[in-house]
Amino acid sequence: MEAQRGKAIEQGGFLLFLGLITLALLVVVLPFLQPMLWAALAAIMFQPLLRWFLARLPGRDSLAASLTLLVIFVAVILPAFWIGSEVVDEAAGLVVAFQQGRIDVADWFEQVFGALPANIQASLSASGFGDLSALQQRAQEFAQDSLGLIAQQAIAFGGSVFGYVLAFAVGLYVSFFLLRDGKEISRTILRALPFDQSISERLAGRFLGIVRATIKGSIVVGLVQGALGAITFWVVGMPSVLLFGVIMAIASLLPAVGPAIVWVPAAIYLLATGAIWEGVVVAISGVALIGMIDNILRPILVGRDTGIPDWLILVSTLGGIALAGLSGIVIGPLIVGLFLAGWGILSEQRAAAAATATP
């Protein structure tokens, strides 16, 4: 009995040590958690390309990983940097235009409101939207604040260039090793988890499925919708097309509404201000191209449902973005998916135990 108690104390002490040292590790790597996360996502998503290089370079894992990383850098990172810098410039330019009075939101509201039928104007007035001066002031403040959040990224970037460069370098460095040694690392992690092997494999499969579904079904579709929106706005001569394209790409994460929260007001404004053909083009493109591309691409890219309800995807995505910034696009749905998978496994185990116990 005494020996068993001593062994239990030793085991408890070891588990306590393991928990504390794991927590300490998380604290140490916390400044680089986001670049490491994106490195892991890149390693997962570009596994098919890595296997393609490995098939042509057998036994040369490091070279295959280096070539895969080069493709990621040229095809993904460089375009993202260019688009991001252009978007920040456009947002900063709009903020300056608002501050200098070159963009008058009040005049826009007057034109749109004046073009509405009399019964709609009366209905809006009865609903509390007839006080145009207050409504216009709030709208202008909202526009300036929203654009200011984007423009501030230019100041933040300039003030911490070393931090960005260091995080970027860490991300690339980690990506290389995850590409080259990812399978062995994942097997080691699965063996170390204090779960039954079947549970570990199911959770790992769920993890990979949600990551692929989120990136393919949300990020890729969002980029396509944003690109189509930017092209549409460019065709009709609207300013800051890259900025509005990025906003539409982000809005595509919202189920049901999506990019319509951008192109619908734009179409209404164009029609109300007399730009008839431009407004018609935006409306047709919004319905027939931007709106439909989700239904066409998502089944092709995702291939299978994540099993997460739309309302949970919306809440978890917005909550993830609020908690972790851009990384929350993946983190939020991932946590929800693993939560549902874990409770689903527990429910199955309890049902199996109940069936076994029943005579």
Side-chain angles (χ1 to χ4, degrees):
M1 180 68 69
E2 193 67 30
Q4 290 180 350
R5 185 181 297 113
K7 187 174 182 180
I9 293 175
E10 291 176 357
Q11 184 67 17
F14 174 71
L15 291 176
L16 177 62
F17 164 78
L18 192 60
L20 291 175
I21 202 64
T22 302
L23 180 62
L25 176 63
L26 290 175
V27 172
V28 168
V29 303
L30 187 61
F32 301 102
L33 206 55
Q34 290 204 18
M36 291 175 65
L37 170 65
W38 286 104
L41 297 179
I44 292 171
M45 296 306 301
F46 284 88
Q47 277 297 311
L49 180 61
L50 176 66
R51 288 195 294 267
W52 186 86
F53 280 123
L54 286 173
R56 287 151 181 81
L57 300 167
R60 306 183 69 179
D61 294 0
S62 295
L63 179 58
S66 299
L67 292 174
T68 304
L69 194 59
L70 178 62
V71 172
I72 295 173
F73 183 81
V74 174
V76 178
I77 296 176
L78 287 182
F81 276 161
W82 177 78
I83 293 174
S85 64
E86 292 295 321
V87 166
V88 169
D89 287 343
E90 290 185 359
L94 285 178
V95 170
V96 173
F98 275 117
Q99 293 173 344
Q100 294 179 350
R102 289 184 283 115
I103 296 179
D104 188 358
V105 177
D107 183 59
W108 291 0
F109 270 89
E110 288 177 2
Q111 293 183 57
V112 174
F113 192 83
L116 296 174
N119 59 336
I120 296 181
Q121 291 186 25
S123 176
L124 289 175
S125 298
S127 301
F129 293 97
D131 187 2
L132 292 181
S133 59
L135 186 61
Q136 292 158 4
Q137 181 63 30
R138 288 197 298 268
Q140 187 152 344
E141 290 174 357
F142 173 77
Q144 291 190 37
D145 291 342
S146 301
L147 293 169
L149 290 176
I150 301 176
Q152 286 171 7
Q153 298 304 311
I155 301 174
F157 180 81
S160 57
V161 173
F162 177 76
Y164 276 93
V165 172
L166 183 60
F168 177 69
V170 169
L172 288 180
Y173 189 70
V174 173
S175 297
F176 170 79
F177 287 101
L178 291 180
L179 284 166
R180 191 188 68 178
D181 308 322
K183 287 187 177 180
E184 184 59 34
I185 293 174
S186 62
R187 283 195 292 264
T188 301
I189 293 175
L190 290 179
R191 286 195 300 265
L193 289 176
F195 307 141
D196 183 82
Q197 187 67 25
S198 61
I199 295 178
S200 299
E201 291 175 355
R202 287 183 61 180
L203 290 177
R206 187 71 167 153
F207 173 85
L208 294 175
I210 293 172
V211 167
R212 293 192 179 105
T214 301
I215 294 179
K216 289 182 180 179
S218 298
I219 296 180
V220 175
V221 173
L223 289 175
V224 174
Q225 288 183 312
L228 290 174
I231 293 171
T232 300
F233 283 0
W234 175 76
V235 168
V236 301
M238 290 190 66
S240 305
V241 294
L242 277 178
L243 175 61
F244 288 117
V246 169
I247 294 175
M248 275 191 278
I250 296 173
S252 69
L253 298 171
L254 306 178
V257 182
I261 64 175
V262 179
W263 66 259
V264 168
I268 293 173
Y269 167 75
L270 290 171
L271 292 172
T273 55
I276 303 301
W277 76 266
E278 291 92 340
V280 170
V281 167
V282 171
I284 293 176
S285 176
V287 174
L289 289 178
I290 302 172
M292 292 300 295
I293 201 68
D294 182 84
N295 298 329
I296 296 172
L297 282 184
R298 195 177 296 272
I300 296 174
L301 293 174
V302 177
R304 61 188 180 94
D305 190 13
T306 61
I308 305 176
D310 283 347
W311 67 272
L312 266 181
I313 292 178
L314 171 62
V315 172
S316 63
T317 299
L318 295 178
I321 292 174
L323 180 65
L326 186 61
S327 302
I329 295 173
V330 178
I331 293 175
L334 179 59
I335 291 175
V336 170
L338 292 178
F339 170 84
L340 295 176
W343 280 99
I345 292 172
L346 178 61
S347 177
E348 292 174 7
Q349 288 179 337
R350 295 183 66 180
T356 304
T358 302

